[in-house]
Amino acid sequence: MNADTAISPLGEQTLALLWERTRRQGDMPAFAKAIGAVLGAMRGEDDGEFSMTETVLSDPVLTNKVLRLANSTMYSAFGQHVNTVSKAVLVLGTEAIGHLALGLKLVEELSSSASDSTQAHIEMEKAVLAGLVARELAATVRSPQTELAVVCSMLHTLGRMMVTFYLPEHWLKLQQRGGPGNEDAAALEMLGISLADIGMAAAQRWNLPRNLVAGMRTVDADTDAAQEPQGQWQAPGALPASDWVAGIATLARHCAASLWHDDEEGAAEIARVSAAFAPLLGLELEQMRGAIAQARETAAEELAIAPLSKPLERRAKALAQTRQRAAGNRILQSGLADMRDMVDTASPGQMVSAALETVYKGLDFSRAVAFVRNRRESRYAARMCFGALPKEQLAAMSFEDAYEPNVFHAALNSDRVIFIENARDPKFAAKLPQWWKTGLAEARSFVILPLSANGQPAGFLYGDWDETFPTIHLSQTEFGLLNDLRGLVVKAIERRHQLEMMSSRAA
């Protein structure tokens, strides 16, 4: 859809209802939030390169992927190893990095969406799957537009996601009229506008860059071969570079819709569209099969409810855990907001209490314990606890602050959050101190949040999960929230130290 495309009165009514629902419910999880976080660094500020560097460095996962891309064979002509994000920005350009960042954020937000609508969640999973397929397909020809293709592939189903999320009653009618998977056929008649044009309208409403909107166009493998290649990059196949991304995105969307169901009919459809698009995109069929198979393998691990992912009972547990984690993150964010309000007036003890309560509830710990360092006695001792831990057991948990080669001293020395996924691994036993084995050995996984003030350890927060919890994997979002939380506690401790120093000088 472009600015000149006429929309029927019924289509205008549909869009008006959609924008009203968006206003009332807030922007759909994933897209608006993720887009706003990245596009600012791509829109030509005076110091855009520095802004993009900051954006990348704020996310460890993105930092790693940017450096890996800058050192890939695609950019080997630059000769030397790229060690800093600043240089990677020069090598790759802010646009390529912006697309990479946007793709990562879209995947993270879509994968963790807590939508109560199963249909909306299905469409979000298909969007993630389309991005996986696009990355693998574009990588077979080492396209510098790979990351753009990933983002456009996920945006290709934006209209479907918008309708399932905001207009679920209309989606049900579309399925009743056209049948599941054929909602597009009924949309124009029933909504007055196609699902693809709804996605385009949303993209334009959010002021997405033109190249992203252009990549959302649906390419017809039979009629869309272009005459004259355009752009600096020469696309393989019959399409110019300006349309090649849209072609990859169209193919990826078709493949994702079929892969998600993981059945023989879907496999046949993938074979058909692959053969149709291969000459248009300049891709070898055998390479395409391998790329799609790799995307399928990755999706089997990352998706929650797709038939290709896991058995029914495991899928249900994964979805429940995803929703629980999303709710837990909201608890962490709310607790952080409370702590920010009280940080300038609360005592260190009050801040520790607020932090411990927040992580206990937000991460659904079995137990959470706060340890405080007593410099005069040269010891760490447990002072506060949430969860099932007898008082006498809590009182017995203390240890000397002199360094010992175990995981707790390692966390305190490095001043980094440490997550132990399997504390019962025999190979890990030597890194666990005796006081932990005596009082906390029921734990299967645990987290240590060191608290260092003025360069010296002041204590730490500890939380664990026992064997009744499913396997735990903390996300980068959760690590970020935990670091923000401990930063507020440290701020209160350092403020008290400053007041004590001022008081002693005055005396």
Side-chain angles (χ1 to χ4, degrees), residues 241-308:
S242 56
D243 289 339
W244 190 83
V245 167
I248 284 284
T250 302
L251 173 58
R253 186 243 302 165
H254 281 304
C255 289
S258 298
L259 275 177
W260 193 91
H261 294 284
D262 197 37
D263 55 20
E264 292 184 4
E265 183 179 350
E269 176 63 12
I270 290 170
R272 186 192 70 78
V273 296
S274 296
F277 274 88
L280 199 65
L281 298 172
L283 303 177
E284 297 290 337
L285 269 178
E286 196 58 38
Q287 286 183 312
M288 293 176 71
R289 293 190 187 101
I292 295 169
Q294 180 59 51
R296 180 190 183 282
E297 183 178 333
T298 303
E301 297 296 325
E302 295 190 3
L303 302 186
I305 62 175
L308 68 85

Side-chain angles (χ1 to χ4, degrees), residues 62-138:
L62 178 57
T63 298
N64 183 51
K65 287 187 176 291
V66 164
L67 291 175
R68 187 184 306 167
L69 180 61
N71 287 290
S72 66
T73 54
M74 189 187 309
Y75 294 93
S76 59
F78 289 92
Q80 58 192 57
H81 192 73
V82 177
N83 298 297
T84 65
V85 171
S86 298
K87 184 175 180 181
V89 170
L90 295 176
V91 171
L92 302 175
T94 57
E95 185 172 319
I97 293 178
H99 293 145
L100 175 60
L102 184 55
L104 284 174
K105 288 187 179 295
L106 290 180
V107 170
E108 180 181 347
E109 295 289 341
L110 286 171
S111 299
S112 62
S113 170
S115 170
D116 291 328
S117 166
T118 300
Q119 291 299 326
H121 197 94
I122 287 173
E123 293 306 319
M124 290 177 179
E125 283 203 344
K126 289 178 181 177
V128 172
L129 182 49
L132 294 173
V133 172
R135 173 167 280 115
E136 296 297 335
L137 287 172

Side-chain angles (χ1 to χ4, degrees), residues 199-257:
M200 288 281 196
Q204 291 170 355
R205 186 179 177 85
W206 291 340
N207 294 318
L208 293 192
R210 289 183 179 180
N211 60 348
L212 292 185
V213 177
M216 294 171 64
R217 185 176 70 85
T218 296
V219 171
D220 188 323
D222 297 321
T223 63
D224 276 358
Q227 300 299 318
E228 295 293 334
Q230 302 169 12
Q232 294 182 341
W233 176 66
Q234 176 65 57
L239 288 177
S242 56
D243 289 339
W244 190 83
V245 167
I248 284 284
T250 302
L251 173 58
R253 186 243 302 165
H254 281 304
C255 289

